[in-house]
Amino acid sequence: MTTDDTISAVARHLAQARRILFITGAGISADSGLPTYRGVGGLYNGESTEDGLEIEEALSGECLAVRPDITWKYLTQIEHNCHGVKPNAAHDAIAALERTHQVVVLTQNIDGLHGQAGTTNLIEIHGTLDRRYCMRCGQPASLADRAVPPHCGQCGGVVRPAVVLFGEQLPSLAIERLYEELDAGFDMMFVIGTTAVFPYIAEPVLSAARKGIPTVEINPAG
């Protein structure tokens, strides 16, 4: 099947679909200028950080607990890369589909670009850099504090972003919402810029295959 044939087939399925699930990862934000940690154009391909840690170690809940300065050093780099970045055509196209379809977006990304593009039914399974809170008192914290690490203005505790770091559990509310959406069913599924190596991605993909639901994978690293 040629590329044109594939695109035509996808368009036919899309025209017939009512509810669509999009599962997105770092690859969808590449055209916005955001590099991934690993993979095509990754920031840390085949090398450790300057602190001698793998990026997964530096951005772990364990490291944040004992060396918040190291974790925040690399969180600051990520925030810097996200600053001023805008949604690209893929984010905009998904958001636009909400006018004609029931769309659910499950994203691994913490860049907030789906929300900026206008997607409303959004499950940010790894959280977002757009919110911070104090690890000691739990109060929301300012995004303007550029200290490394930032501290709570009320109790002085270390502040963290509302994201899931490596080694931490996924938020139960987000998982519950995902299963509620899966129980409601979908007519079509897209997996964009990520691979089905995580259970919360693999399970919907395998379920769609068993039910004969059309599934489209768009992944340059695949």
Side-chain angles (χ1 to χ4, degrees):
M1 182 179 289
T2 67
T3 300
D4 287 344
D5 290 336
T6 300
I7 292 173
S8 296
V10 170
R12 288 195 299 272
H13 286 300
L14 193 58
Q16 297 170 2
R18 182 176 63 90
R19 274 176 55 85
I20 307 169
L21 173 63
F22 287 90
I23 301 175
T24 68
I28 197 170
S29 297
D31 282 352
S32 293
L34 283 178
T36 59
Y37 305 140
R38 305 288 190 189
V40 178
L43 283 171
Y44 301 100
N45 288 339
E47 60 185 62
S48 299
T49 65
E50 62 186 49
D51 292 285
L53 300 173
E54 297 297 313
I55 188 60
E56 292 86 354
E57 295 175 294
L59 293 176
S60 68
E62 181 179 0
C63 186
L64 178 65
V66 297
R67 288 295 306 272
D69 56 317
I70 289 180
T71 300
W72 266 104
K73 177 179 179 178
Y74 297 101
L75 285 171
T76 300
Q77 289 182 7
I78 295 169
E79 288 184 337
H80 177 75
N81 282 320
C82 291
H83 183 70
V85 171
K86 302 297 182 183
N88 61 48
H91 300 103
D92 292 338
I94 292 171
L97 276 173
E98 286 192 359
R99 294 195 290 267
T100 54
H101 296 74
Q102 295 180 27
V103 173
V104 178
V105 176
L106 168 67
T107 186
Q108 298 171 294
N109 299 340
I110 60 176
D111 52 37
L113 293 180
H114 281 296
Q116 290 182 38
T119 291
T120 59
N121 201 355
L122 178 62
I123 303 173
E124 293 174 309
I125 199 73
H126 289 166
T128 176
L129 287 170
D130 291 338
R131 295 190 302 275
R132 294 180 181 181
Y133 65 91
C134 175
M135 295 171 61
R136 180 185 297 167
C137 70
Q139 291 298 308
S142 171
L143 295 174
D145 188 351
R146 297 303 174 193
V148 178
H151 287 83
C152 177
Q154 298 189 46
C155 75
V158 174
V159 165
R160 64 167 292 160
V163 300
V164 178
L165 298 173
F166 288 97
E168 295 183 328
Q169 292 186 339
L170 296 173
S172 58
L173 290 178
I175 293 294
E176 289 173 10
R177 185 171 165 216
L178 170 61
Y179 281 111
E180 288 173 359
E181 296 288 1
L182 292 174
D183 287 343
F186 291 97
D187 305 308
M188 193 171 185
M189 183 182 302
F190 288 80
V191 181
I192 305 174
T194 186
T195 54
V197 296
F198 297 97
Y200 61 84
I201 296 178
E203 187 172 340
V205 171
L206 292 174
S207 177
R210 289 193 296 267
K211 297 175 182 178
I213 297 171
T215 300
V216 179
E217 181 181 8
I218 305 171
N219 183 22

